[in-house]
Amino acid sequence: MPDKILETTLEVLKEDAEGILAAWIEQADEDGAKRIDLFSEKEERDQAASLLRSFRLGVRDASKEGEFDLQDESWADLRGILAEITHERVERGVLPGEMAALILALKTPLFERVTEKLEKDPERLIEEVLLVSKAIDAFAIYSNEVFIAEREQVIERQRDEMMELSTPVVELWDKVLTLPLIGTLDSLRAQEVMESLLQAIVERQAEVVIVDITGVKTVDTQVAQHLLRTAAAVRLMGARCIISGISPKIAQTMVELGVDVGEVRTRSSLRSALMDALTSVGVAIRPIDDDKRSGK
Amino acid sequence: MNAAAIYAVEGVLLVSITSDITDTDIIDLQEALSKRIADTECRGVVVDISALEIVDTFVGRVLAQLTSVARLLDAETYVVGMRPAVAMTLVELGMYLPENHTALTLSHALDKMRQSGLVDGLRRG
């Protein structure tokens, strides 16, 4: 038995780094993992080269007998580079499958060379190949994990941005606020909407708030529940809530679902809700004389 | 010191609840308030809870009870100054306080009572 595992692999990596690199890129190309539309030949090569270099360092330092653990200290360098490259690839729109294929493509050139070396010792050959295979598989999985984490971060960020954009409370007139809702209303957003609305009521001393749902695509029992709870909280604060923009279709759905709006006022259009709100704060919109109109 | 004092303001009873009110204080308050309503024959009660930062089902229930007691004695109750967090918690707990009238502040409540004739016709007879 050799005193060190992966000894032959290390030897091969030292002796023919250039050859392996070239064969690897070629293999990746064959497997369809190369994206010449996203990366230039040189970038592709540089990335592969740095991966291979840290792979060699990892193989050199890995001392655990027969075990392979990517979280091990000796693979820290490789983990870093893998994360970096994956990050760059996500940004350019590489698919996770392609990233995995690129890493897995390293097997072929590596195994070819190890096989040549260990032709006379099939037992060691199998052991070595098994280990290297295990290691490379682990890298592929790791890179996939990084990939998913990156994607999730992007989604998280976009959701935060959407959340901020989607709860604008607008002052229509003294004591009259409106909150135009757009898109879907899930629990998280409903909470956000309620918070900013109640806060705005305190800040502007509003007496009437109009929640306009013209831009809400669908109203199911859950959305209706959120709306009614918002209305209830508004009432508890001492203001009145009008829900406007209920389309005929949504009205029918709500009845079919058995949603009872109770005492909450509903209006079909923002226009009629506004009239209603203004009336209750003692303001009216009136036409004015022709000669007073500006811009004419 | 009493955690909740009752003042007569503009012909209505103003109850201000402090943040450190205990459950026993609330029960005392309920008793004191119903006595005062009967004694003064007032028709409006304003409960100011702007200092209240934390509510539970007990506080919610007592608020509803105060209102029901007052109504039996022919007085309407307005809860004013509720904080957003308190409102959200009550809704979360399913306590919508349907019997209570609500208003943003004391002056809003007084306005509303004037409109409904509760303040002017304060003392009956």
Side-chain angles (χ1 to χ4, degrees), chain B residues 49-91:
Chain B
I49 59 166
S50 54
L52 206 62
E53 284 174 45
I54 300 161
V55 280
D56 50 17
T57 46
F58 181 76
V59 176
R61 216 184 64 218
V62 171
L63 281 177
Q65 265 176 23
L66 278 182
T67 309
S68 301
V69 170
R71 184 162 295 155
L72 284 175
L73 298 167
D74 196 21
E76 291 298 320
T77 308
Y78 278 77
V79 173
V80 304
M82 192 182 292
R83 292 175 181 232
V86 170
M88 278 193 280
T89 311
L90 284 177
V91 169

Side-chain angles (χ1 to χ4, degrees), chain A residues 24-291:
Chain A
W24 180 17
I25 290 170
E26 203 176 299
Q27 182 66 38
D29 196 12
E30 257 174 56
D31 294 349
K34 214 164 117 179
R35 291 289 295 262
I36 38 169
D37 52 333
L38 300 177
F39 288 93
S40 69
E41 201 78 38
K42 190 177 171 301
E43 278 176 305
E44 188 94 42
R45 213 185 143 78
D46 286 348
Q47 287 184 356
S50 59
L51 266 181
L52 198 61
R53 199 162 41 243
S54 46
F55 177 60
R56 201 186 69 203
L57 291 176
V59 169
R60 196 191 62 199
D61 296 340
S63 52
K64 281 192 184 169
E65 189 84 26
E67 283 289 320
F68 176 76
D69 182 7
L70 192 59
Q71 297 310 319
D72 211 74
E73 192 50 43
S74 41
W75 300 106
D77 197 25
L78 182 65
R79 282 204 305 272
I81 288 186
L82 211 50
E84 199 178 294
I85 290 176
T86 309
H87 173 75
E88 216 180 312
R89 294 195 155 226
V90 177
E91 293 224 312
R92 300 214 194 170
V94 174
L95 298 173
E98 288 168 342
M99 185 70 203
L102 170 73
I103 292 167
L104 292 174
L106 176 59
K107 281 185 183 181
T108 319
L110 214 54
F111 290 172
E112 272 170 9
R113 284 164 180 75
V114 174
T115 313
E116 267 172 37
K117 284 253 175 193
L118 291 173
E119 236 169 353
K120 306 226 170 64
D121 193 351
E123 247 174 63
R124 262 196 69 189
L125 174 63
I126 289 172
E127 201 181 313
E128 190 100 18
V129 165
L130 210 63
L131 257 176
V132 175
S133 181
K134 227 178 176 178
I136 294 178
D137 286 349
F139 301 151
I141 291 169
Y142 180 75
S143 114
N144 238 344
E145 276 168 7
V146 174
F147 218 104
I148 291 165
E150 293 271 347
R151 283 269 163 100
E152 258 161 23
Q153 260 177 22
V154 171
I155 292 170
E156 187 84 5
R157 206 185 56 226
Q158 283 174 344
R159 210 183 50 194
D160 284 350
E161 280 167 6
M162 216 176 72
M163 203 72 96
E164 274 167 33
L165 287 174
S166 64
T167 52
V169 180
V170 187
E171 187 169 28
L172 278 182
W173 198 258
D174 294 342
K175 305 176 207 165
V176 180
L177 299 179
T178 185
L179 175 79
L181 288 176
I182 291 165
T184 51
L185 198 65
D186 57 13
S187 305
L188 202 67
R189 246 195 93 193
Q191 186 75 14
E192 194 95 357
V193 164
M194 201 196 276
E195 262 170 49
S196 54
L197 185 59
L198 298 189
Q199 201 54 48
I201 290 173
V202 176
E203 279 165 17
R204 318 259 180 93
Q205 293 287 296
E207 286 177 15
V208 188
V209 299
I210 303 170
V211 178
D212 184 64
I213 59 164
T214 312
V216 176
K217 283 257 158 57
T218 50
V219 173
D220 54 16
T221 40
Q222 217 195 353
V223 172
Q225 208 58 36
H226 288 318
L227 287 173
L228 294 180
R229 279 161 64 149
T230 307
V234 167
R235 193 193 76 89
L236 283 177
M237 298 276 303
R240 253 185 54 212
C241 184
I242 305 172
I243 298 175
S244 78
I246 297 185
S247 67
K249 214 179 140 210
I250 284 179
Q252 287 176 49
T253 326
M254 282 170 80
V255 171
E256 273 163 31
L257 293 170
V259 175
D260 180 16
V261 295
E263 283 176 31
V264 180
R265 280 196 197 206
T266 55
R267 288 284 184 273
S268 63
S269 66
L270 182 57
R271 182 198 164 103
S272 58
L274 178 62
M275 289 305 289
D276 190 10
L278 289 180
T279 307
S280 68
V281 295
V283 179
I285 298 175
R286 235 179 239 116
I288 52 166
D289 294 339
D290 255 359
D291 53 329

